[in-house]
Amino acid sequence: AAGSGSHSVNSLRWLLEQAKAAGLTDVDLMHDTVSFSVVASHRQAVVYLHWLDPKEKQFHMSYLRSYPTFEADSIRGCNNTIKNIIDNAEGPRQIQIGKALVILEPLTSSWNVQFTAPTKPPTPSSSFSGDVNFRKRARELQEE
């Protein structure tokens, strides 16, 4: 969880720094790059918050809450927590990423790195790419 969380934070930070340098104004690198992870077993699910301390340039993984899987109320609480995380990802986070991608389009020449063909099938695309109206909505928000 620590590795994937820090990777998520760092990837978002990099994207938003690029967009900020290109003119995106409403960027809060501390707030906009926070990520969550859930570690689950047959006994419990544990939710963590991942963030970067901008002064120390150090990644942190903070425990938020654990949910025993053998209590109905706890399972409902875990479900609600995960739903809140997903709602944020589909709402404010997706909008912020969309604004960053719109500002950075077209991609700069330094990003056009040539890669060799993968030996394995590519990773499936993210849920953001499946929404055909995503770019249109992001552009509309940018124009407001």
Side-chain angles (χ1 to χ4, degrees), residues 81-139:
T81 298
I82 292 172
K83 183 180 180 319
N84 288 339
I85 292 168
I86 291 171
D87 287 347
N88 180 64
E90 290 178 334
R93 168 137 315 169
Q94 186 180 30
I95 291 166
Q96 187 71 337
I97 291 170
K99 287 179 182 179
L101 292 173
V102 166
I103 283 202
L104 293 171
E105 189 176 356
L107 300 179
T108 65
S109 60
S110 64
W111 293 10
N112 293 331
V113 178
Q114 297 296 320
F115 294 100
T116 57
T119 55
K120 297 188 238 176
T123 304
S125 60
S126 70
S127 60
F128 295 121
S129 65
D131 186 352
V132 294
N133 295 317
F134 174 69
R135 282 187 164 207
K136 181 181 175 186
R137 285 195 317 256
R139 280 198 177 101

Side-chain angles (χ1 to χ4, degrees), residues 2-77:
S4 61
S6 61
H7 177 73
S8 176
V9 168
N10 202 38
S11 296
L12 282 169
R13 183 184 59 81
W14 181 84
L15 176 70
L16 294 175
E17 281 178 344
Q18 296 294 315
K20 189 174 182 179
L24 185 63
T25 57
D26 59 336
V27 177
D28 177 355
L29 290 175
M30 178 73 175
H31 177 265
D32 294 337
T33 60
V34 167
S35 293
F36 297 89
S37 66
V38 178
V39 178
S41 72
H42 66 286
R43 292 184 179 205
Q44 71 174 348
V46 183
V47 181
Y48 294 97
L49 173 75
H50 303 268
W51 55 282
L52 175 68
D53 183 328
K55 292 178 184 172
E56 296 178 17
K57 298 286 186 196
Q58 186 173 14
F59 291 96
H60 295 275
M61 179 176 165
S62 301
Y63 164 86
L64 288 181
R65 183 148 186 205
S66 63
Y67 300 92
T69 58
F70 48 85
E71 298 173 5
D73 287 340
S74 180
I75 293 169
R76 277 190 286 280

